Structure formats: structure tokens, C-alpha cells
């Protein structure tokens, strides 16, 4: 049954819905139990783990014993001032059931329980002056009546960009895996297979039963943790973290390295009210306005991509444990500021990460959740319940990496709330995205990596081919390749995998100027065995592609080297009095993509606003303020090349004699017609774009068009349907011989045969480099009392330094004495 047809469940804490696919069986029966509220008290604070074990009557601890009245979900919330943590344990075994360990007393812990299970809910006062905290326990009954559907990972044949866009439009669950000729798709049941088949796609099965595959990975993780006491990771971890472990380790690192590390919470909470945590690493970490360039390393935009958070967290350990011991790390930490946000999507990650610890429940579909927990965009009957318990299952939410404002609303993101790549209701609508965006807007983030899984790729803007590369493309590409030399990944523009809009770096780069990349970690799984997906990929060990080359550790160091290098950003220098605040500020509006509706029709772009504002507290005398270039890449222009010869002249071609039979299968082996053509190269012609066009008379006829190179490989395609023409485009084709393959895909029964009437081939030159207008930073000097001393405009290009001299002197006035 389609989950959108399920009846709403009228309870405050909803049943855990087990959605093992897009179509599910009869819904579980849910009965919400009344909340239980308590006040916890502890006379002193003790900084230690609350979730490692029950602590009994130890100092700094208060606990409540309770018995689960239902089989289902327990949610514990702890609120109040100070810093309290919370954990739920099975009374009999001492095993942790749920926990939360944030930087303040805003704890949300979810776990699965069985009826009559005896529990201990433990509150721990980690720090602060608050002796009390307010505890609330909620229960939800779940009767698991769901019928499992087998999930498969398949390689769908997509030899052209048109194929990739057509596949994205189907609304199936695309992984991040793929290449030039295929994309990997997670099929959630027979309905997804039907979509592919009816759209004419062919595929090969890569993983026939994903649930069994993931369970085998989990068993491998257990064996690895039992066999290895300490891994080669900087932290020594041997297993995937839970959210509460990320939270706890962030504040423990800050406690162990009080001058080097500053823990922080992003300015906005998640949809379900969780804090989003990060850690900042620098020589004087708490002095955030020191003017140094910033490297931001993030993980878990997508809930199921567990290694992405692990790699980011290990980077924090790398810097902190290496400082003072490793000469390169020490030098780079002194020259930069490093920010790590390991889990951008805490709600979704909690759902995915805790699903395997399910007891008797079949919640594997939740483990494969990609999105956040936004319910507002779904129909009213789908908005009931919490994220771990809702009628839409994993489909609730927004894909955060399609919600950033840059190019939002274009191809590569869905307007349908049910899609795993749903873009959200508006550009930057999601609180998690707004939190990251506000943080970047207030800091000079000159370099950025957002980690994902999987497909061994390093991706850079633009996310869509039609955007054209930025002026910085040569420098950008070279930096990506240097990182790829260490981890063995393929470095390429993001659109080469498939079109995406609303991604992190397509906003951060085009609007702030900081170089941003996506790392797609590992070759073949969202969360593979920890030993291969985390340890080997990070440290550069077999079987990782970066084995012997340094892995992602060395790639991150390469990025940090670029962060410290002024050639990759800009610098403002001068002199200023001690304690004065120097600010750079900019406000501007940018259009999104023409916004596609659910039918694929393009509407008008939406204008969105950005405010970039960051500060530097002058040390007195000479200063160096490291900033991003003043001119936004969006308005700076686009990279290209001057043509070295004219394009080839267009020419028409005729329909060969005969009428091919219908062919809904392989276009090359089945019935078709062929028309050869040639793409010439320099010095005779410079053809950067080739368009092959065919047409016919009746819209009730469907002809498809494929372009095949001399090796017999399909390199372009047009198969839109419902039109009277097809146009296949070759981008930057190699000179040589090609064939247009024309396929009679469909003729309406009972209607006269409508043959295609003719076609043509047109050629275009490359587009030359274009440059835009210069934009300026507004540079302000502010006295310690808050009064403005001077304001001026500053234009500074990438790789350049502008010296303002006596920076805080008002124009036309004598220098200060």
C-alpha cells in the first residue's frame, strides 16, 4: 500500500513506522503512553561520560528507574541551564539504549525498547553551575506488522547527460555512485523497478539484497572491534560513532586542549530541536576574530553516509594530537583556523544510526534515510508523528544538499516531497542549511570540504553543465587534482557525475568566493565496514584507492596547505590601533536557477539575499586580515577559451530508405537507422558543441536519437517523448567519425506510419572567457567603544594583497599620532 494513503495516527508520540520501501504493508497499531516528568539533582559537576555505563550513586549523577509500558520507542529529553548529559540503560545488562551529550542541557535521546523492559535513565552534570535539570520520558507502542521488501543497488545505463537527467526525473533513489556511462540507484522495491523498465532503462544488479549486505558489514565491524584494540586513526576508533559520541568527544577534546580547541553550537537547531555541534582548532582557538584563513570540514548532510562524519571527526583529532609533534601540522595550525562540523543533519543521522539497534523491529528503511526530518512540505496526513515514527517512513524530509540557495530549483533536485532528492519549499528553507550558511557568512571560510559517500570522487562547481566553469577553473581544478593524487579519487566538475542544484559549494563558492569541494568517500557503499570505509580511506591503506598515497588524511593536509597559502584567497594589510575591530561587509541578491515545477517546466528564478560580515580584532600595529576575494565568482565571469578555428558549417541529412520496426530495447542491437557524420578538429575547425537534430510530423510518434562514437559507444542521446523533434548534444567532442542512430521507439496503433522527415548537424565554437564587474568589500574600522572611525571600499583579487596603510584613518584627515 502507498504510505501516502495511510490514516493519520492521533497521538503525541507516534508509533515507529517501519517503511521497508516506497510501498508498505498494513500500518502498525500505535498507542501513545503519558509522559513521565522528573527533576534531577546533582551537587557537583564531574566531566565524564554519562553513556559508558550506569554510575549508580557516584558524584554528579542522578538517575530514575522506570519500566517500558510498551514495545516501541522511548524518547528522553533533558532541559535546563548548565551542561547536563543523559543516558538510558537496560537495567539487566547495562547496555546503553539511548543517550545525548551536547554542550549544554538540551538533550534529545531516542531508543527502541520492549514491553516490561526495565530501564535506568541517568542524568550526569558534566559542567556549569546548575544543580538541577528537567527530565521528560515519552513512550510509543509499536506493533511491527510490516512486510519487508528487498532493496537492491543497481547500475543503470546512462551513457549521456540526457539519460542522467531523465533518470533523475523519475524520482528514484540515486546514490552518489556512478560514472560517465552509468549511475547507481537504490531500488526500494518492485515499484522502483517498474519505473525504470517503463522509462526504457537497462541496468545491472550490483547488490541483490542490500539489507543482507549491510548486516554482513555490521558483523564485520563486530569482528574488527574485537580483533583490534586501537586502529591507525588519530582517535584509535574501531567502530562507527553514535551522535552522542560525537557530542561527547567534541567537548572532551576542548577540555583536553583548552587553548587549541573551542567547541561551539551553530546558531540554529535542527528540525526536531537538536543542537548542531562543531569544534574550532587554532593556536588561540577562543579568539575567533584573529584574521586567519578558515578551513571548514563537514560531514553527514545525508543521514545514511556515516563515514562522512567519521572522516571529519578524525581530522579534528589529527590536528589536535599532531600539534607540537608533527612539524607540518604545527606550522599549518599556526597559520590557519580549522572548523569541523561532523554531523550537519543530527535528526536524520540519529534515525539512520540507531535503526540497526532495533531489537525485534524491521526498520532497515530508516537506516537508508537520506534527508532531514522536515514534515511541513508533505501532505497533512503525512505530518503526524516524530521522524523516527511517521507514516512516510524515510521519505519525510528535505535533501539538505539540494536546499542551499545557489542554483536552487534547477535540474538535479526534485520538486516532489516524496523524492529522496527533494529540494525543499524554498531556497535555504531548512534550519540546518540556514545554520551552516549563517556560520560561513560570518567567517572568512576560504576553503571547504563537505564529505559524502560514495564513488571515489572529488567534485567541484559547477553542479550543472550550463552554468559554465568559473574564472578560477584552472586553479580550482589543479587544487582538486593535488588532493586526488593522495586519495586516488577522480577529480572533476560536479556536473560530470550528474546535474545537481542547491548543493553546499554551489552556494558557498559562487557567493563567498571560498574554494569548496565534495568528497565522495569510498567506492561502493553508504556505510561500508569501518575497517575499509573509515580506517583505510582515511589513512591510505589497502584496499582504498589512496593506499600508499596518504589517503584522505593527506588530501585534507593538501587542502589545509592551500588554506594557508595567500595565492588561494586575498589579504588586506595595514596598521591599526590595538583592540579596534576591523570589519569587511557585503550585501547582495542573487537569482536561483529558473525554478522547475513538478512537470519539469521552468518558471522564473527566485532572488535571495546574502549578508557577508566578518571581523578582525587588531593586535596593534601591523595586521594581516585574510579574506575571500571581494568580487563574487557569480558576477566575476566565466572561464572559456578563444577559438582557434571557425566551427564546421552546418549540414542537413536525409532519411535513409526503409522504415525500421519499433524498438523499445537496446538501440544498437535492435532495429534502427544510421547516419554517419564527421566532427573536424583544428586547424580546419574548432567544435566545442555539436547538436544533431531530427524531426517528424505527428506528436503521436516517438523517435529516439543516439550518437555513437567510432568505438561503438553511445556518447549522447535525446529521447524526450511527446514532441516532434529530438536534439542530441555533444560537449567538447574529440574529432573523429560518429553515427546518428535513429530508433522508432513508438508508433500509435492503428495510425499511419509517420517516418522522420530529415535532420541536420550544427556546430558551435567554444565560448571565450568572460569577465564581470568588480565588487568591493566595505571595510570598517570600529573603536572599542563601538563608534565607527572610518569606512572605505576595498577591492582585492584572489592571490593579491592590498595594503591600506594607516587603515583606520578617515580619508582626507591626518594620520593618528
Amino acid at each position: 500500500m502507498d504510505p501516502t494513503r495511510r490514516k493519520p495516527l492521533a497521538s503525541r508520540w507516534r508509533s515507529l513506522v517501519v517503511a521497508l520501501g516506497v510501498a508498505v504493508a498494513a500500518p502498525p497499531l500505535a498507542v501513545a503512553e503519558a509522559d513521565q516528568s522528573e527533576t534531577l539533582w546533582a551537587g557537583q559537576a564531574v566531566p565524564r561520560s554519562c553513556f559508558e555505563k550506569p554510575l549508580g550513586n557516584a558524584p554528579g549523577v542522578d538517575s530514575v528507574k522506570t519500566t517500558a509500558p510498551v514495545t516501541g520507542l522511548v524518547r528522553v529529553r533533558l532541559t535546563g541551564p548548565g551542561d547536563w548529559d543523559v543516558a538510558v540503560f537496560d537495567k539487566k545488562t547495562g547496555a546503553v539504549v539511548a543517550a545525548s551529550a551536547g554542550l549544554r542541557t538540551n538533550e534529545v535521546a531516542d531508543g527502541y525498547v520492549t514491553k516490561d523492559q526495565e530501564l535506568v535513565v541517568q542524568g550526569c552534570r558534566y559542567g556549569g553551575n546548575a544543580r538541577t535539570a528537567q527530565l521528560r520520558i515519552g513512550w510509543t507502542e509499536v506493533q511491527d506488522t510490516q512486510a519487508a521488501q528487498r532493496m537492491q543497488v543497481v547500475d543503470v545505463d546512462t551513457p549521456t547527460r540526457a539519460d542522467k537527467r531523465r533518470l533523475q526525473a523519475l524520482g528514484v533513489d540515486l546514490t552518489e555512485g556512478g560514472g560517465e556511462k552509468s549511475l547507481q540507484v537504490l531500488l526500494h522495491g518492485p515499484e522502483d523497478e517498474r519505473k525504470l523498465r517503463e522509462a526504457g532503462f537497462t541496468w545491472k544488479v550490483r547488490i541483490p539484497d542490500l539489507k543482507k549486505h549491510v548486516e554482513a558489514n555490521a558483523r564485520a565491524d563486530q569482528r574488527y572491534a574485537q580483533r583490534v584494540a586501537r586502529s591507525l586513526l588519530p582517535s584509535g576508533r574501531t567502530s562507527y560513532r553514535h551522535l552522542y559520541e560525537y557530542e561527547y568527544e567534541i567537548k572532551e577534546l576542548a577540555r583536553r586542549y583548552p587553548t587549541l580547541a573551542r567547541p561551539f553550537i551553530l546558531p540554529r537547531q535542527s528540525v526536531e530541536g537538536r543542537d548542531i555541534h562543531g569544534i574550532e582548532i587554532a593556536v588561540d582557538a577562543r579568539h575567533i576574530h584573529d584574521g586567519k584563513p578558515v578551513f571548514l570540514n563537514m560531514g553527514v548532510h545525508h543521514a545514511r553516509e556515516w563515514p562522512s562524519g567519521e572522516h571529519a571527526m578524525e581530522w579534528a583529532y589529527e590536528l589536535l594530537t599532531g600539534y607540537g609533534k608533527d612539524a607540518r601540522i604545527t606550522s599549518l595550525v599556526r597559520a590557519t583556523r580549522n572548523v569541523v562540523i561532523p554531523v550537519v543533519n543530527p535528526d536524520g543521522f540519529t534515525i539512520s544510526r540507531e535503526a540497526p539497534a532495533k531489537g525485534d523491529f524491521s526498520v532497515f528503511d530508516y537506516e537508508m534515510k537520506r534527508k532531514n526530518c522536515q514534515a511541513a512540505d508533505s501532505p497533512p496526513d503525512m505530518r503526524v508523528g516524530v521522524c523516527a515514527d511517521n507514516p512516510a517512513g524515510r521519505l519525510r524530509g528535505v535533501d539538505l544538499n539540494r536546499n542551499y540557495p545557489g542554483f536552487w530549483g534547477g535540474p538535479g533536485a526534485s520538486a516532489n516531497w516524496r523524492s529522496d532528492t527533494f529540494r525543499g519549499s524554498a531556497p535555504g528553507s531548512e534550519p540546518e542549511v540556514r545554520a551552516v550558511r549563517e556560520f560561513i557568512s560570518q567567517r572568512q571560510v576560504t576553503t571547504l570540504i563537505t564529505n559524502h559517500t560514495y564513488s571515489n570522487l572529488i567534485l567541484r562547481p559547477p553542479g550543472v553543465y550550463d552554468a559554465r566553469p568559473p574564472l578560477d577553473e584552472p586553479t580550482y581544478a589543479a587544487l582538486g587534482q593535488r588532493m586526488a593524487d593522495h586519495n586516488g579519487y577522480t577529480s572533476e566538475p560536479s556536473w560530470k557525475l550528474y546535474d545537481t542544484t542547491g548543493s553546499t559549494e554551489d552556494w558557498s563558492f559562487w557567493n563567498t568566493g571560498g574554494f569548496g569541494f565534495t568528497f565522495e568517500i569510498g567506492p561502493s557503499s553508504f556505510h561500508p565496514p569501518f575497517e575499509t570505509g573509515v580506517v583505510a580511506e582515511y589513512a591510505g591503506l589497502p584496499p582504498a584507492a589512496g593506499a600508499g598515497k596518504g589517503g584522505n588524511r593527506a588530501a585534507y593536509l593538501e587542502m589545509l596547505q592551500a588554506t594557508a597559502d595567500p595565492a588561494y584567497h586575498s589579504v588586506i594589510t595595514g596598521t591599526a590601533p590595538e583592540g579596534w575591530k576591523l570589519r569587511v561587509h557585503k550585501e547582495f541578491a542573487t537569482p536561483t536557477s529558473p525554478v522547475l515545477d513538478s512537470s519539469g517546466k521552468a518558471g522564473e528564478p527566485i532572488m535571495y539575499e546574502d549578508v557577508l560580515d566578518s571581523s578582525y580584532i587588531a593586535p596593534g600595529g601591523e595586521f594581516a586580515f585574510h579574506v575571500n576575494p571581494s568580487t563574487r565568482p557569480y558576477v566575476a565571469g566565466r572561464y572559456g577559451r578563444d577559438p582557434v578555428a571557425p566551427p564546421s558549417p552546418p549540414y542537413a541529412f536525409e532519411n535513409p530508405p526503409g522504415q525500421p520496426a519499433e524498438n523499445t530495447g537496446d538501440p544498437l542491437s535492435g532495429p534502427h537507422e544510421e547516419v554517419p557524420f564527421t566532427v573536424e578538429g583544428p586547424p580546419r575547425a574548432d567544435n566545442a558543441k555539436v547538436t544533431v537534430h531530427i524531426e517528424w510530423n505527428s506528436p503521436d510518434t516517438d523517435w529516439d536519437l543516439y550518437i555513437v562514437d567510432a568505438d561503438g559507444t553511445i556518447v549522447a542521446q535525446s529521447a524526450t517523448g511527446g514532441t516532434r523533434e529530438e536534439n542530441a548534444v555533444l560537449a567538447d567532442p574529440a574529432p573523429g567519425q560518429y553515427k546518428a542512430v535513429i530508433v522508432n521507439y513508438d508508433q500509435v496503433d492503428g495510425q499511419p506510419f509517420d517516418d522522420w522527415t530529415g535532420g541536420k548537424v550544427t556546430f558551435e565554437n567554444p565560448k571565450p572567457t568572460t569577465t564581470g564587474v568588480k565588487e568591493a568589500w566595505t571595510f570598517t574600522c570600529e573603536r572599542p567603544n563601538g563608534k565607527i572611525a572610518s569606512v572605505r571600499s576595498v577591492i582585492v583579487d584572489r592571490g593579491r594583497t592590498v595594503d591600506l596603510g594607516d587603515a583606520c584613518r578617515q580619508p582626507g584627515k591626518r594620520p593618528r599620532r
Side-chain angles (χ1 to χ4, degrees), residues 203-444:
W203 65 90
K204 301 178 183 66
V205 176
R206 173 178 288 265
I207 302 175
D209 191 324
L210 184 60
K211 186 172 186 291
K212 290 182 178 179
H213 177 81
V214 171
E215 288 172 346
N217 289 348
R219 292 192 295 271
D221 285 346
Q222 292 175 346
R223 293 192 298 270
Y224 178 72
Q226 293 169 357
R227 185 178 78 251
V228 177
R230 181 178 177 85
S231 74
L232 293 178
L233 295 172
S235 70
R237 289 280 308 192
T238 58
S239 62
Y240 283 107
R241 293 170 171 89
H242 297 265
L243 181 64
Y244 52 82
E245 291 176 297
Y246 282 109
E247 295 167 340
Y248 177 72
E249 288 178 36
I250 283 174
K251 61 186 181 185
E252 273 295 285
L253 285 174
R255 187 174 69 86
R256 287 167 51 192
Y257 301 94
T259 61
L260 284 176
R262 182 186 79 91
F264 66 92
I265 297 170
L266 285 182
R268 295 178 185 269
Q269 294 178 343
S270 69
V271 169
E272 291 203 323
R274 290 181 171 88
D275 290 333
I276 304 171
H277 293 81
I279 187 167
E280 190 156 4
I281 299 163
V283 172
D284 184 0
R286 297 186 182 277
H287 177 36
I288 63 174
H289 303 295
D290 62 2
K292 293 180 180 178
V294 177
F295 171 28
L296 173 58
N297 198 335
M298 295 186 288
V300 195
H301 272 80
H302 293 147
R304 62 196 178 191
E305 298 172 4
W306 304 352
S308 64
E310 298 291 337
H311 280 66
M313 194 68 198
E314 291 303 325
W315 177 240
Y317 275 91
E318 188 79 59
L319 298 178
L320 291 170
T321 59
Y323 184 81
K325 300 176 183 178
D326 181 291
R328 187 184 184 195
I329 289 175
T330 302
S331 174
L332 290 175
V333 168
R334 286 174 177 169
T336 62
R337 297 189 72 82
N338 285 265
V339 178
V340 174
I341 304 173
V343 182
V344 172
N345 180 6
D347 297 345
F349 175 67
T350 297
I351 301 300
S352 175
R353 182 67 183 92
E354 302 310 318
K358 59 187 178 299
D360 295 331
F361 301 111
S362 301
V363 291
F364 180 63
D365 193 64
Y366 278 114
E367 186 175 344
M368 288 296 113
K369 183 175 178 63
R370 175 183 173 100
K371 302 189 284 185
N372 77 342
C373 286
Q374 183 63 262
D377 303 301
S378 50
D381 62 338
M382 292 288 105
R383 298 176 193 169
V384 296
V386 295
C387 201
D389 160 30
N390 77 94
R394 81 171 201 286
L395 295 178
R396 169 173 290 187
V398 171
D399 182 343
L400 297 180
N401 207 41
R402 300 295 183 273
N403 186 246
Y404 285 87
F407 300 134
W408 183 90
S414 176
N416 185 341
W417 74 271
R418 292 174 55 82
S419 170
D420 288 277
T421 56
F422 175 52
R423 70 195 184 201
S425 59
S429 61
E430 299 313 293
E432 299 89 346
V433 167
R434 293 200 298 271
V436 172
R437 187 179 168 203
E438 289 172 12
F439 179 86
I440 293 173
S441 297
Q442 295 167 9
R443 308 293 291 278
Q444 290 298 325

Side-chain angles (χ1 to χ4, degrees), residues 152-158 163-175 182-206 664-665 717 745:
Q152 301 180 76
V153 176
V154 299
D155 286 317
V156 179
D157 297 320
T158 54
D163 288 329
K164 290 175 169 59
R165 286 190 174 184
R166 199 160 59 91
L167 179 62
Q168 288 175 292
L170 290 182
V172 291
D173 187 0
L174 269 69
T175 74
S182 67
L183 292 177
Q184 289 183 22
V185 173
L186 173 52
L187 301 180
H188 290 263
E191 175 66 16
D192 286 345
E193 293 185 49
R194 182 191 63 78
K195 289 181 180 179
L196 293 182
R197 190 174 296 106
E198 290 184 354
F201 284 105
T202 57
W203 65 90
K204 301 178 183 66
V205 176
R206 173 178 288 265
T664 59
Q717 171 186 331
Y745 187 79

Side-chain angles (χ1 to χ4, degrees), residues 38-42 62-64 78 84 122-123 131-133 135:
E38 304 280 350
T39 298
L40 303 183
W41 185 94
D62 195 8
S63 61
V64 173
L78 194 65
W84 282 70
Q122 175 172 277
R131 296 186 175 187
T132 62
L135 174 70

